[in-house]
Amino acid sequence: TGVGDQIPWRRDFKHGREWPLEHISRLPIVFGDGSDIKVPWELSRFQHLPVLAAAWRLTGEERFLDEIGAQLDSWIEGNPVEFGPNWACTMDVAIRAANWVATLALLGDDAARARWSGALESLLLHGRFIRSHLEWADVRGNHYLSDVVGLLPVAALFGAGREGRRWAEWAAGELERELHHQVRGDGCDHEASIPYHRLVAELFVCGTQAVHSLLPGRLGQDHDERL
């Protein structure tokens, strides 16, 4: 892949640009040299981590567990909360959290062998970050919806506590409201983009399934019919 033995979590490895470990309130996003912050963002979404977990389930090979643990340790150490590019966009924080929870679910009882204790602490901080850094505006779309839906798996993980339950209740209400705000009467996403329409459709479907599981009866029949 060209990233080397250690994944450069804060670097656009295509251009060699590395973002500093500055607080997100002071962090430059664009440098004007052709580099793209979306390269480290994509790596730090951890879309690949559930694949490694699935490989472990299929093969039982310890190297997959070792790689999951090594990547989690490396990322957490190199990306303290609110510092660096990988906290600059809440949507990406939410996607990362959802992928980590999916990986945890796939690992099951073997999660401890992948050194998940640090990741659990980090997931609690991910949930608090999402809830306090929402991408809400009068004009809003898939970013805010991703924040809402991404919080639901984290809420499920911490659902035995008051904070997790509050997250679930809040996200359920927002999901219901956003289905009316972001979807037109003809069923089209208001951002008027086919790729975004697919994205928000997936988010509403997955979010609705999560709420039905976490809070049975919370979403009424009207919600399901509109979906």
Side-chain angles (χ1 to χ4, degrees):
T1 63
V3 300
D5 294 334
Q6 297 294 322
I7 296 178
W9 300 111
R10 294 185 284 112
R11 183 184 306 150
D12 175 351
F13 57 85
K14 298 178 182 179
H15 292 86
R17 163 68 67 182
E18 182 160 333
W19 272 258
L21 205 58
E22 290 278 353
H23 189 267
I24 54 176
S25 63
R26 301 187 299 270
L27 187 76
I29 301 298
V30 179
F31 284 97
D33 59 359
S35 59
D36 189 350
I37 198 171
K38 291 183 180 179
V39 175
W41 279 358
E42 184 60 38
L43 277 173
S44 289
R45 287 180 169 187
F46 279 88
Q47 310 274 31
H48 58 280
L49 211 65
V51 180
L52 288 173
W56 157 253
R57 289 290 297 270
L58 286 170
T59 68
E61 295 182 22
E62 293 287 334
R63 63 192 179 103
F64 294 117
L65 276 182
D66 291 342
E67 182 64 21
I68 290 170
Q71 288 194 24
L72 289 170
D73 288 346
S74 169
W75 192 93
I76 292 168
E77 181 180 357
N79 296 271
V81 180
E82 294 192 3
F83 284 82
N86 297 313
W87 295 95
C89 174
T90 306
M91 177 182 187
D92 289 279
V93 177
I95 292 171
R96 177 168 60 250
N99 280 317
W100 284 14
V101 174
T103 302
L104 179 61
L106 283 166
L107 291 178
D109 293 338
D110 295 312
R113 295 167 61 190
R115 306 194 296 275
W116 262 91
S117 59
L120 289 173
E121 295 173 8
S122 184
L123 278 168
L124 179 62
L125 298 178
H126 274 65
R128 290 173 177 172
F129 181 93
I130 295 166
R131 186 65 183 89
S132 59
H133 294 77
L134 296 166
E135 296 169 279
W136 190 95
D138 289 335
V139 179
R140 60 191 181 276
N142 66 86
H143 272 247
Y144 181 67
L145 182 60
S146 296
D147 302 346
V148 171
V149 175
L151 188 58
L152 283 164
V154 187
L157 190 61
F158 298 103
R162 183 183 303 173
E163 192 170 18
R165 291 194 298 271
R166 284 202 307 260
W167 288 343
E169 286 284 356
W170 174 84
E174 290 303 293
L175 185 75
E176 202 166 30
R177 280 186 284 273
E178 290 306 299
L179 186 60
H180 286 270
H181 175 78
Q182 296 197 26
V183 181
R184 299 170 187 257
D186 61 2
C188 289
D189 169 46
H190 72 170
E191 292 184 78
S193 158
I194 291 174
Y196 281 159
H197 181 96
R198 173 175 174 169
L199 172 61
V200 300
E202 291 175 348
L203 287 167
F204 280 123
V205 168
C206 293
T208 297
Q209 290 173 337
V211 174
H212 283 331
S213 178
L214 286 170
L215 303 168
R218 173 61 178 78
L219 301 175
Q221 185 177 350
D222 289 348
H223 176 90
D224 289 347
E225 289 176 353
R226 184 171 179 84
L227 180 61

